[in-house]
Amino acid sequence: MFSNRLRKSGQLRHFITSSYCYSRKNNVRTLPMLSNIISQNQSILLSSKNNTFQKSCNRKNIHSTIANPAQQTLNEEENIKLPRPISIDRDVHLLHEIPLEDVRNFCLVAHVDHGKSSLASRILELTGNLGIEQQWTGIEHANLSSIYETTNQDDNIDKSSSASVSIQGRNDVKIKDLGGKEQIELLDTLEVEKERGITVKASAASMIYPHPTAKGPHGVLLLNMVDSPGHVDFASEVVRTLCFVQGAVLLFDAAQGVQAQSLSVHEKAKNMSNVGAIIPALTKVDLPSARTLDVTLSVSDLFGFDPDGVIHTSARSRKGIGDLLEIVCHDVPSPLQLPDDDGKILRAHVVDSWFEPLRGVVCLVQILSGELSESVRVSIVEPHINKDQSGVKNYSGSPHSFNAKDHYSVQDVGLVLPHKKRTGKLSRGQMGYVIIGLRDPRQARPGSVMVLHKELSTVIDMDIPVLGVATNTQSVLYASVHPMEGEGFEELLNAVDRLALNDTGLEIHRTAGNANSEGGGPFLGPGLRVGFQGLLHVEVFQQRLLDEFDIEAIVTQPKVPYKITYFASKSNHNQRSADAPSTETIEDLSKWPGQGVRYKVKEPIVDVRIISPMEFAGNIMDLIKKKRGTRMDTKPIDEATWLFKASLPWAEVVTDFHDELKTSTAGYASFDTFESDPPFVESNLVKVEIMLNGDVVEPLSFISHKDNAQAQGRIVCKKLQDVLPRQQFVTVIQAKADSRFIASERIRAYRKDVLTTGGSKAVGGGDITRKKKLLEKQKKGKKRQQVSGKVTLTQAAFNSVISRSS
């Protein structure tokens, strides 16, 4: 009776799919029941014209779902063998018949080093984006090769063409040598990403994947996947990525468990109205140190996920890749159709843009409506966010105001797989690359809209969704960048400008000329003021300058803004002009109030969230107290992990807090920061000046709490004594605070033995007067060198100031 009701309604296929997914999530064994229903209704399935399975079996070069045991049972019962696996690279002609309802946009988010890029590469492998050989490897590891007519041994496809996959993206990288060391971080294309094993910039790839929920004629879904960075310094990349997807796969390391950035990215995804599904998954479950059950329960308690719904995966052993794809296809909703979409007017969101030396700017776009083809002329418009009378931002509605001055000819259009595949056009729901002859990625910012130039007047009156969050990155900290050699400023300037084409997180402040640029004093010369997203961003910036341009640059300590309020007094009136403001914000320490000026200082405060194993709780609380932390709170996450919250001065966080935290917790702790309330707190601070041979070196000066000034001054002087190069003259290092010296060290000069020449005595015995005369002459020469000589500063000298707490 039950199957009769399904037979009449024509919903047997939908019931099979839904029942299987329900059994996956709730750990219910429904497959035997499904097998009986399938066996009883073979004739209906074979005669149904609308059945996707039958269509797929009768169509050449098309196959049914790979990772669906329900379909596997169906094929085993009917003894039907499927043709070869499909992929977007070999079957690109299917794209134009995929409706918007069969599109799934999702991203991978997680804490740093939780296996996002490796898992993304395995997904590309199973869907065939890396070639037929790699796809067969994924299928064989999933034990699904028996459902195909062809096998990996008798496949008539040219395997030699699949032995290597050319990844032509931001860099020309080739993934080869299947028999050697395997490279599975295919979406990490920058040299710094491959060397450090981290993701710096989000990367996208499109795939097609057969699934029973597909409504199109071929039974396949279009999957647009984005791999996002995990480090807190690149959180803006995660926010931008979440704006263009409808689902997020939240990954957790089965050995490390929940980390600080795991909480942060979950909060970001949960606050996005367009993200309809957050799918939890564990990675690295095959490691000997994996705590699969404990981490699963922690994720369930902390985030509210169903423990049975947490997918267990491993990129190394290819475990759970098909299961994860199945849940993504079933749970992630399709993108919404625009209310006024007539299928003709082009509207495409710019997701990202980067610079390639030979082709210029490459834009990654998402087609909202219409079709984008080569040879047409397009304009890039930026919808402005309107505010009503109450000041509330309006992110939707029409008409919109635009800023479209220029129009460009579309030169190249295609898909990103992650290598570029030219298709000539992109249709609604697709995500791909577009080259229109731009020279600066800032001409096509994320969130701007690409429209046909001839339809510009029509688009103004149509609905264009505006992103609900700002996609323009805001610098977290600033530092001065100087060339190692004073005459290399122009080369540094050109290199930083070119580097900014591929790193929109950089914020460069400079004037037109060399002489007017930000000065570094007699020790550094001219430089640039550059905004960064964090300390890791600074290190990546330096490494890319060295790798790509062979320029060794010096980056000073991060600049922290302080609010100075001057008191009304006679001494202040004598030193300050009458029209000077009573309150000002100071970043450049050369503008710090001098001796005799009465003032109070407020320093910026941030809230810090730390996650660490329980055995390091004492070390973390001591570190927070050492860093002048307040409002400390603790909370257990599970039996082995604790969560710590506190408010810390921003100046303590951007120096060596991360290094000390890793040292005190054996590398297991992680942390992230967010805005505090209030953002500034009054504190008793003092400026510590570092002097070399009596000259103040402003780039080495720093701000410290008055109680810690002497101790930190001694540490800096001692470290400078170790890292500064020895000269032909004595180098005197001094720390000064409140007009008094608080620390001092000396670097001895190189000294030639003037009493001997070539190993033999130049001055014989007898009266010592002649010997003293030679030594005094040498001493006077050293003094003259000390006055006119120049101490060479290195990056290690500035690192000594950054790590001044230990």
Side-chain angles (χ1 to χ4, degrees):
M1 181 177 178
F2 179 66
S3 60
N4 290 336
R5 190 163 65 245
L6 290 174
R7 187 182 300 115
K8 292 179 181 179
S9 62
Q11 299 295 321
L12 179 60
R13 175 177 171 274
H14 175 72
F15 168 75
I16 295 173
T17 305
S18 302
S19 301
Y20 167 68
C21 295
Y22 177 82
S23 67
R24 284 279 318 284
K25 290 185 176 180
N26 298 277
N27 199 19
V28 178
R29 296 181 59 82
T30 60
L31 292 184
M33 180 181 68
L34 294 179
S35 178
N36 294 333
I37 295 176
I38 293 170
S39 178
Q40 295 171 8
N41 295 275
Q42 288 183 12
S43 59
I44 298 176
L45 291 171
L46 293 174
S47 62
S48 175
K49 294 183 179 180
N50 297 323
N51 188 267
T52 305
F53 300 135
Q54 185 65 23
K55 287 184 178 182
S56 300
C57 293
N58 291 334
R59 186 181 298 273
K60 290 185 178 181
N61 298 334
I62 305 295
H63 77 291
S64 293
T65 302
I66 295 176
N68 194 331
Q71 292 189 35
Q72 185 177 356
T73 304
L74 173 66
N75 289 287
E76 289 175 354
E77 292 288 340
E78 298 179 357
N79 196 23
I80 296 177
K81 289 286 186 177
L82 302 177
R84 65 158 177 86
I86 68 170
S87 73
I88 193 172
D89 202 11
R90 300 186 298 272
D91 304 288
V92 69
H93 61 279
L94 302 179
L95 284 175
H96 305 299
E97 300 184 46
I98 298 178
L100 186 63
E101 294 80 4
D102 291 346
V103 177
R104 303 290 186 268
N105 301 317
F106 70 100
C107 65
L108 305 179
V109 293
H111 186 79
V112 63
D113 198 29
H114 276 206
K116 296 182 301 300
S117 299
S118 302
L119 192 65
S121 299
R122 291 306 186 202
I123 293 176
L124 294 175
E125 177 186 72
L126 185 57
T127 55
N129 284 38
L130 308 184
I132 188 63
E133 280 290 323
Q134 289 87 335
Q135 187 174 16
W136 271 118
T137 302
I139 292 173
E140 291 171 353
H141 277 80
N143 297 323
L144 298 173
S145 57
S146 60
I147 67 175
Y148 297 101
E149 292 179 354
T150 60
T151 63
N152 193 16
Q153 287 74 24
D154 58 9
D155 199 344
N156 56 4
I157 297 178
D158 185 10
K159 299 174 185 177
S160 61
S161 63
S162 303
S164 64
V165 179
S166 176
I167 310 297
Q168 298 176 353
R170 302 182 183 94
N171 290 325
D172 291 336
V173 182
K174 290 189 177 181
I175 307 302
K176 310 181 177 182
D177 192 13
L178 300 177
K181 184 178 179 181
E182 191 175 20
Q183 303 180 31
I184 58 176
E185 292 84 4
L186 300 182
L187 293 180
D188 293 340
T189 57
L190 297 176
E191 287 295 329
V192 65
E193 290 179 324
K194 290 181 286 187
E195 290 180 9
R196 290 176 173 261
I198 60 175
T199 301
V200 172
K201 190 173 181 62
S203 302
S206 298
M207 305 160 281
I208 57 175
Y209 189 71
H211 195 264
T213 59
K215 300 178 181 179
H218 303 296
V220 295
L221 298 178
L222 172 62
L223 306 181
N224 297 317
M225 176 182 65
V226 183
D227 176 27
S228 62
H231 198 276
V232 64
D233 284 8
F234 309 103
S236 59
E237 288 279 320
V238 179
V239 174
R240 177 179 59 80
T241 299
L242 290 172
C243 292
F244 301 100
V245 298
Q246 287 73 47
V249 180
L250 182 57
L251 304 180
F252 303 91
D253 192 314
Q256 300 180 21
V258 179
Q259 298 291 305
Q261 199 64 13
S262 305
L263 294 172
S264 178
V265 295
H266 177 261
E267 293 174 356
K268 291 181 175 66
K270 194 174 181 180
N271 293 332
M272 291 285 184
S273 59
N274 57 288
V275 178
I278 302 177
I279 302 170
L282 298 188
T283 60
K284 309 178 185 180
V285 296
D286 57 342
L287 291 180
S289 58
R291 301 179 293 114
T292 305
L293 181 59
D294 294 340
V295 175
T296 300
L297 295 178
S298 300
V299 169
S300 175
D301 294 340
L302 199 59
F303 299 97
F305 294 122
D306 182 3
D308 295 330
V310 180
I311 312 300
H312 296 173
T313 67
S314 171
R316 183 175 65 173
S317 61
R318 298 178 174 85
K319 178 180 180 181
I321 308 301
D323 296 341
L324 181 61
L325 271 180
E326 168 66 28
I327 298 300
V328 167
C329 295
H330 187 271
D331 289 0
V332 175
S334 60
L336 297 177
Q337 182 177 351
L338 295 180
D340 55 357
D341 183 12
D342 59 357
K344 300 179 181 179
I345 304 298
L346 171 65
R347 283 166 287 183
H349 254 152
V350 177
V351 179
D352 194 10
S353 58
W354 62 91
F355 182 83
E356 292 185 0
L358 299 180
R359 302 302 304 272
V361 174
V362 181
C363 299
L364 180 68
V365 298
Q366 186 180 56
I367 308 298
L368 302 178
S369 66
E371 185 177 272
L372 178 61
S373 303
E374 294 180 358
S375 301
V376 300
R377 300 198 71 84
V378 296
S379 296
I380 298 177
V381 298
E382 295 186 3
H384 296 295
I385 300 175
N386 301 318
K387 292 185 180 180
D388 54 22
Q389 296 179 354
S390 61
V392 179
K393 294 180 179 179
N394 179 22
Y395 292 102
S396 60
S398 60
H400 291 266
S401 56
F402 296 100
N403 179 19
K405 298 180 180 179
D406 303 320
H407 50 91
Y408 312 90
S409 176
V410 178
Q411 304 170 4
D412 193 355
V413 174
L415 299 170
V416 181
L417 307 181
H419 59 281
K420 293 199 296 291
K421 183 178 182 63
R422 188 172 185 175
T423 60
K425 66 177 180 179
L426 293 174
S427 303
R428 185 181 64 175
Q430 297 178 12
M431 184 180 295
Y433 73 91
V434 179
I435 300 177
I436 59 176
L438 298 178
R439 304 306 301 173
D440 190 341
R442 285 163 287 197
Q443 295 177 268
R445 297 183 182 275
S448 56
V449 181
M450 190 175 294
V451 299
L452 294 180
H453 182 68
K454 64 181 181 180
E455 299 174 348
L456 190 58
S457 58
T458 306
V459 174
I460 292 179
D461 297 326
M462 301 183 71
D463 181 65
I464 293 184
V466 181
L467 302 184
V469 296
T471 56
N472 295 334
T473 56
Q474 299 293 329
S475 298
V476 175
L477 56 89
Y478 294 87
S480 296
V481 180
H482 302 265
M484 186 65 71
E485 301 293 337
E487 60 272 11
F489 176 76
E490 290 299 329
E491 296 181 3
L492 174 66
L493 184 61
N494 295 331
V496 172
D497 282 341
R498 291 182 60 186
L499 195 62
L501 296 176
N502 267 345
D503 191 349
T504 55
L506 291 176
E507 184 179 344
I508 304 171
H509 297 270
R510 59 180 174 86
T511 53
N514 186 340
N516 295 328
S517 299
E518 181 164 323
F523 295 94
L524 289 180
L528 301 172
R529 182 175 181 267
V530 182
F532 299 96
Q533 303 301 309
L535 290 177
L536 178 62
H537 193 197
V538 176
E539 296 179 12
V540 170
F541 170 79
Q542 287 182 277
Q543 186 170 344
R544 291 189 64 186
L545 274 180
L546 187 60
D547 294 343
E548 300 176 21
F549 303 100
D550 196 23
I551 293 179
E552 189 173 355
I554 294 178
V555 180
T556 64
Q557 61 173 325
K559 299 178 182 294
V560 178
Y562 296 96
K563 287 188 176 181
I564 309 293
T565 301
Y566 297 94
F567 296 135
S569 64
K570 186 175 181 180
S571 60
N572 288 357
H573 180 71
N574 294 334
Q575 299 189 29
R576 291 173 53 83
S577 60
D579 57 346
S582 59
T583 302
E584 62 178 348
T585 301
I586 292 178
E587 276 189 351
D588 191 353
L589 297 187
S590 62
K591 301 178 182 178
W592 193 266
Q595 186 66 22
V597 179
R598 298 186 59 201
Y599 61 91
K600 66 176 181 180
V601 185
K602 288 186 176 181
E603 61 178 341
I605 301 293
V606 295
D607 290 337
V608 178
R609 182 167 51 192
I610 304 172
I611 295 181
S612 170
M614 183 180 58
E615 58 264 28
F616 303 110
N619 297 342
I620 292 178
M621 288 188 284
D622 291 341
L623 178 61
I624 293 175
K625 183 178 179 181
K626 175 185 175 182
K627 296 295 184 179
R628 299 187 286 126
T630 58
R631 297 185 294 182
M632 184 169 58
D633 186 24
T634 60
K635 175 185 175 182
I637 295 179
D638 54 31
E639 296 180 355
T641 309
W642 275 22
L643 171 65
F644 302 85
K645 293 182 179 180
S647 296
L648 291 177
W650 178 237
E652 301 286 354
V653 176
V654 298
T655 52
D656 56 350
F657 180 77
H658 178 266
D659 295 338
E660 289 198 48
L661 179 65
K662 290 295 184 180
T663 301
S664 59
T665 60
Y668 285 104
S670 62
F671 83 101
D672 65 341
T673 61
F674 45 96
E675 294 181 358
S676 179
D677 187 21
F680 284 85
V681 174
E682 184 176 348
S683 184
N684 187 13
L685 302 178
V686 64
K687 176 184 177 182
V688 179
E689 297 178 328
I690 301 299
M691 306 176 67
L692 297 179
N693 290 337
D695 295 328
V696 177
V697 185
E698 286 293 347
L700 292 179
S701 301
F702 60 92
I703 302 298
S704 174
H705 193 272
K706 199 167 186 177
D707 296 340
N708 303 330
Q710 186 172 10
Q712 293 186 2
R714 288 178 176 175
I715 292 176
V716 171
C717 289
K718 186 63 178 176
K719 288 189 173 183
L720 288 176
Q721 184 187 29
D722 297 334
V723 300
L724 288 180
R726 196 175 176 185
Q727 307 290 339
Q728 293 291 339
F729 50 87
V730 177
T731 303
V732 180
I733 307 169
Q734 294 172 307
K736 184 179 180 181
D738 286 339
S739 300
R740 64 185 185 91
F741 294 104
I742 57 176
S744 179
E745 297 290 344
R746 293 167 62 90
I747 301 178
R748 297 179 58 187
Y750 286 116
R751 182 175 178 271
K752 179 181 178 181
D753 190 357
V754 296
L755 302 183
T756 60
T757 302
S760 60
K761 289 186 177 182
V763 180
D767 191 8
I768 200 173
T769 304
R770 179 166 174 79
K771 295 182 180 179
K772 287 184 177 181
K773 183 179 179 180
L774 291 175
L775 294 175
E776 286 296 328
K777 183 179 179 181
Q778 183 189 47
K779 187 176 180 181
K780 290 179 181 180
K782 297 291 184 183
K783 285 185 177 181
R784 287 194 300 268
Q785 286 184 338
Q786 188 173 7
V787 173
S788 60
K790 179 183 176 182
V791 179
T792 303
L793 295 180
T794 62
Q795 185 61 51
F798 295 95
N799 295 339
S800 301
V801 181
I802 295 175
S803 60
R804 59 179 178 267
S805 298
S806 58

Coordinates of all heavy atoms in Angstrom, one line a residue, residues 345-374:
I345 N 18.9 40.2 -19.6 CA 19.7 41.3 -19.1 C 20.9 40.7 -18.2 O 20.6 40.0 -17.3 CB 18.9 42.3 -18.2 CG1 17.8 42.9 -19.1 CG2 19.8 43.5 -17.7 CD1 18.2 43.6 -20.3
L346 N 22.1 41.1 -18.5 CA 23.3 40.6 -17.8 C 23.5 41.4 -16.5 O 23.5 42.6 -16.5 CB 24.5 40.7 -18.7 CG 25.9 40.4 -18.0 CD1 25.9 38.9 -17.6 CD2 27.0 40.8 -18.9
R347 N 23.7 40.6 -15.5 CA 24.1 41.2 -14.2 C 25.0 40.1 -13.5 O 24.6 39.0 -13.3 CB 22.9 41.5 -13.3 CG 22.2 42.7 -13.6 CD 20.8 42.8 -12.9 NE 19.9 41.9 -13.5 CZ 18.6 41.8 -13.1 NH1 18.1 42.6 -12.1 NH2 17.8 40.9 -13.7
A348 N 26.3 40.5 -13.3 CA 27.3 39.6 -12.8 C 28.0 40.2 -11.7 O 28.6 41.3 -11.8 CB 28.3 39.2 -13.9
H349 N 28.1 39.5 -10.5 CA 28.8 40.0 -9.4 C 30.3 39.7 -9.5 O 30.7 38.6 -9.9 CB 28.3 39.3 -8.1 CG 27.5 40.2 -7.2 ND1 26.5 39.7 -6.4 CD2 27.5 41.5 -7.1 CE1 26.0 40.7 -5.7 NE2 26.5 41.8 -6.1
V350 N 31.2 40.7 -9.2 CA 32.6 40.4 -9.2 C 32.9 39.8 -7.9 O 32.8 40.5 -6.8 CB 33.4 41.7 -9.4 CG1 34.9 41.5 -9.3 CG2 33.1 42.3 -10.8
V351 N 33.4 38.6 -7.9 CA 33.8 37.9 -6.6 C 35.2 38.2 -6.2 O 35.5 38.4 -5.0 CB 33.6 36.4 -6.8 CG1 34.0 35.6 -5.5 CG2 32.1 36.1 -7.2
D352 N 36.1 38.3 -7.1 CA 37.5 38.5 -6.8 C 38.2 39.0 -8.1 O 37.7 38.8 -9.2 CB 38.2 37.2 -6.3 CG 39.5 37.5 -5.6 OD1 39.8 38.7 -5.4 OD2 40.2 36.5 -5.3
S353 N 39.4 39.5 -8.0 CA 40.2 39.9 -9.1 C 41.7 39.8 -8.7 O 42.0 40.0 -7.6 CB 39.9 41.3 -9.6 OG 40.1 42.2 -8.5
W354 N 42.5 39.4 -9.7 CA 43.9 39.3 -9.4 C 44.7 39.7 -10.7 O 44.0 39.8 -11.8 CB 44.3 37.9 -9.0 CG 44.1 36.8 -10.0 CD1 44.9 36.4 -10.9 CD2 42.9 36.1 -10.1 NE1 44.3 35.4 -11.7 CE2 43.0 35.1 -11.1 CE3 41.7 36.0 -9.4 CZ2 42.1 34.2 -11.5 CZ3 40.7 35.1 -9.8 CH2 40.9 34.2 -10.8
F355 N 45.9 39.9 -10.6 CA 46.7 40.4 -11.7 C 47.6 39.3 -12.3 O 48.3 38.6 -11.5 CB 47.6 41.6 -11.3 CG 48.4 42.3 -12.4 CD1 47.8 43.2 -13.3 CD2 49.7 41.9 -12.6 CE1 48.5 43.7 -14.3 CE2 50.5 42.5 -13.6 CZ 49.9 43.4 -14.4
E356 N 47.7 39.2 -13.6 CA 48.6 38.3 -14.3 C 49.5 39.1 -15.2 O 48.9 40.0 -15.9 CB 47.9 37.2 -15.1 CG 47.1 36.2 -14.2 CD 46.5 35.1 -15.0 OE1 46.6 35.1 -16.2 OE2 45.9 34.2 -14.4
P357 N 50.8 38.9 -15.2 CA 51.7 39.8 -16.0 C 51.3 39.9 -17.5 O 51.5 40.9 -18.1 CB 53.1 39.2 -15.7 CG 52.9 38.4 -14.5 CD 51.5 37.9 -14.4
L358 N 50.9 38.7 -18.1 CA 50.7 38.7 -19.5 C 49.3 39.1 -19.9 O 49.1 39.7 -21.0 CB 51.0 37.3 -20.1 CG 52.4 36.8 -19.9 CD1 52.6 35.4 -20.5 CD2 53.4 37.8 -20.5
R359 N 48.3 38.9 -19.1 CA 46.9 39.1 -19.5 C 46.3 40.3 -18.7 O 45.2 40.7 -19.1 CB 46.1 37.9 -19.2 CG 46.5 36.7 -19.9 CD 46.5 36.8 -21.4 NE 45.3 37.3 -22.0 CZ 44.3 36.4 -22.4 NH1 44.5 35.1 -22.3 NH2 43.2 36.9 -22.8
G360 N 47.0 40.8 -17.7 CA 46.4 41.9 -16.9 C 45.5 41.4 -15.8 O 45.8 40.3 -15.3
V361 N 44.4 42.1 -15.5 CA 43.5 41.8 -14.4 C 42.6 40.6 -14.9 O 42.0 40.7 -16.0 CB 42.7 43.0 -14.0 CG1 41.7 42.6 -12.9 CG2 43.7 44.0 -13.4
V362 N 42.5 39.6 -14.1 CA 41.5 38.5 -14.3 C 40.4 38.6 -13.2 O 40.8 38.7 -12.0 CB 42.2 37.2 -14.2 CG1 41.2 36.0 -14.5 CG2 43.3 37.1 -15.2
C363 N 39.2 38.7 -13.6 CA 38.1 38.9 -12.7 C 37.4 37.5 -12.6 O 37.1 36.9 -13.6 CB 37.1 39.9 -13.2 SG 37.8 41.6 -13.4
L364 N 37.1 37.2 -11.3 CA 36.2 36.0 -11.0 C 34.8 36.5 -10.8 O 34.6 37.3 -9.9 CB 36.7 35.3 -9.8 CG 35.9 34.0 -9.4 CD1 36.1 32.9 -10.5 CD2 36.4 33.5 -8.0
V365 N 33.9 36.1 -11.6 CA 32.5 36.7 -11.6 C 31.5 35.6 -11.4 O 31.8 34.4 -11.7 CB 32.2 37.4 -12.9 CG1 33.1 38.6 -13.1 CG2 32.2 36.5 -14.1
Q366 N 30.4 35.9 -10.8 CA 29.2 35.1 -10.6 C 28.1 35.6 -11.4 O 27.6 36.7 -11.1 CB 29.0 34.9 -9.1 CG 27.9 33.9 -8.7 CD 27.7 33.9 -7.2 OE1 27.4 34.9 -6.6 NE2 27.8 32.7 -6.6
I367 N 27.5 34.9 -12.3 CA 26.5 35.4 -13.2 C 25.1 35.3 -12.4 O 24.7 34.2 -12.0 CB 26.4 34.5 -14.5 CG1 27.7 34.5 -15.2 CG2 25.3 35.2 -15.4 CD1 28.3 35.8 -15.6
L368 N 24.5 36.4 -12.2 CA 23.2 36.5 -11.5 C 22.1 36.4 -12.5 O 21.0 35.8 -12.1 CB 23.1 37.8 -10.8 CG 24.2 38.1 -9.7 CD1 24.0 39.5 -9.1 CD2 24.2 37.1 -8.6
S369 N 22.2 36.9 -13.7 CA 21.2 36.8 -14.7 C 21.8 37.1 -16.0 O 22.9 37.7 -16.1 CB 20.0 37.8 -14.4 OG 20.5 39.2 -14.6
G370 N 21.1 36.6 -17.1 CA 21.6 36.8 -18.4 C 22.8 35.9 -18.8 O 23.0 34.9 -18.2
E371 N 23.6 36.4 -19.8 CA 24.7 35.6 -20.3 C 25.8 36.5 -20.7 O 25.6 37.6 -21.3 CB 24.2 34.8 -21.5 CG 25.3 33.8 -22.1 CD 24.7 33.0 -23.2 OE1 24.2 31.9 -23.0 OE2 24.9 33.5 -24.4
L372 N 27.0 36.1 -20.4 CA 28.2 36.9 -20.7 C 29.0 36.2 -21.7 O 29.5 35.1 -21.5 CB 29.1 37.2 -19.4 CG 30.4 37.9 -19.6 CD1 30.1 39.3 -20.1 CD2 31.1 38.0 -18.3
S373 N 29.2 36.9 -22.9 CA 30.0 36.3 -24.0 C 31.2 37.1 -24.3 O 31.3 38.3 -23.9 CB 29.0 36.1 -25.2 OG 27.9 35.4 -24.9
E374 N 32.1 36.5 -25.1 CA 33.2 37.2 -25.6 C 32.8 38.3 -26.7 O 31.8 38.1 -27.3 CB 34.3 36.3 -26.1 CG 34.9 35.3 -25.1 CD 35.9 34.4 -25.7 OE1 36.1 34.4 -26.9 OE2 36.5 33.6 -24.9

